[in-house]
Amino acid sequence: MVFKRLMQAMGVGGPSVETVLTNPNCRPGGQLEGQIHVQGGDHPVDVEYVALGLVTRVEVESGDSEYSSTQEFQRQRVTGPFRLESGARHDIPFRFDVPWETPITEIGGQHLHGMTMGLRTELEVARAVDKGDLDPVAVHPLPAQERILGALTQLGFRFTRADVERGRIYGVQQSLPFYQEIEYYPAPQYTRAINQLELTFVATPQQMQVVLELDKRGGLLTEGRDAFGRFTVDYATADRTDWASQLDGWLRQSLQKRGLFF
């Protein structure tokens, strides 16, 4: 009897959980919908809760080293306590809110190299927490983000990779403890001045901040440094702006001020 109780506490013969997303595609500020199927095992259990968590991989700088960490950044309980009889099935429909600052993982139907995003289901029974596998989630850009990304492609910038950095951007109000960097090789007309462009979106329900970082080339007598630019995009007027022209003008102005362009 003692051995049987020990096996039950360790989860042997306990409940199993399967999460099925209606659609794994979403946008920042949207929702994920689906059902969680909890299947009873060979003995009844008291489930304390079932929760969902949105998880991504984050790069963390610590001193002179850097490492990757899996971070949950949005959590939602979908049930309170309930009794699950042996062999019984408990189905839980859910709607999960996706934060506005959620990093994007897809551009133009292509997955961004370096990005990982998933929805994890967590079940607690008798103080033992079972964190299930990640169900992959694809986060597509907002229409305003698509316009900025399309403008960079139009100018000739080429996507290289993306990652998520733990920390905060100076002068930008963030609700999450990290931010995404989408990295590009420079367009041909900028290659004499910069090595790389990094783009960050920080979105809210009404508008978003766009942060650009230029990794500038150094010459024989000068040291390469980074230049930052930041502007606000209102969703209501984003479709009436020539973003390719706007970005080109900002880049030229920024580089000319430093004597690095034309």
Side-chain angles (χ1 to χ4, degrees), residues 92-213:
I92 309 162
F94 67 85
R95 288 184 177 178
F96 185 90
D97 296 325
V98 179
W100 282 92
E101 291 180 27
T102 299
I104 62 176
T105 66
E106 322 290 316
I107 296 179
Q110 298 296 315
H111 181 74
L112 296 186
H113 175 67
M115 290 303 304
T116 299
M117 188 74 61
L119 193 65
R120 182 166 60 195
T121 308
E122 182 178 295
L123 179 145
E124 180 177 327
V125 176
R127 299 182 182 177
V129 177
D130 178 22
K131 294 187 176 182
D133 295 333
L134 288 181
D135 292 288
V137 171
V139 185
H140 299 264
L142 296 165
Q145 293 171 336
E146 287 181 331
R147 293 183 180 279
I148 303 293
L149 296 166
L152 287 174
T153 301
Q154 185 179 339
L155 288 172
F157 285 88
R158 293 177 295 121
F159 169 77
T160 57
R161 68 183 304 274
D163 65 6
V164 177
E165 302 279 345
R166 181 174 293 177
R168 297 189 176 274
I169 304 170
Y170 178 78
V172 176
Q173 187 173 356
Q174 298 170 234
S175 62
L176 297 180
F178 55 70
Y179 56 91
Q180 181 181 34
E181 290 185 336
I182 305 172
E183 301 174 6
Y184 288 87
Y185 288 126
Q189 63 268 35
Y190 305 106
T191 53
R192 288 186 294 119
I194 61 176
N195 291 312
Q196 180 178 268
L197 180 145
E198 296 177 350
L199 169 69
T200 296
F201 295 119
V202 182
T204 69
Q206 292 79 31
Q207 61 186 22
M208 68 179 178
Q209 295 284 308
V210 180
V211 182
L212 297 175
E213 179 180 352

Side-chain angles (χ1 to χ4, degrees), residues 8 13 16 26 75 78 143 146 162 186 200 254:
Q8 292 177 358
S16 61
C26 65
R75 182 179 177 83
V78 292
E146 287 181 331
T200 296
S254 177

Side-chain angles (χ1 to χ4, degrees), residues 78-90:
V78 292
T79 73
F82 64 92
R83 179 76 170 177
L84 184 66
E85 300 296 337
S86 59
R89 174 166 152 165
H90 189 69

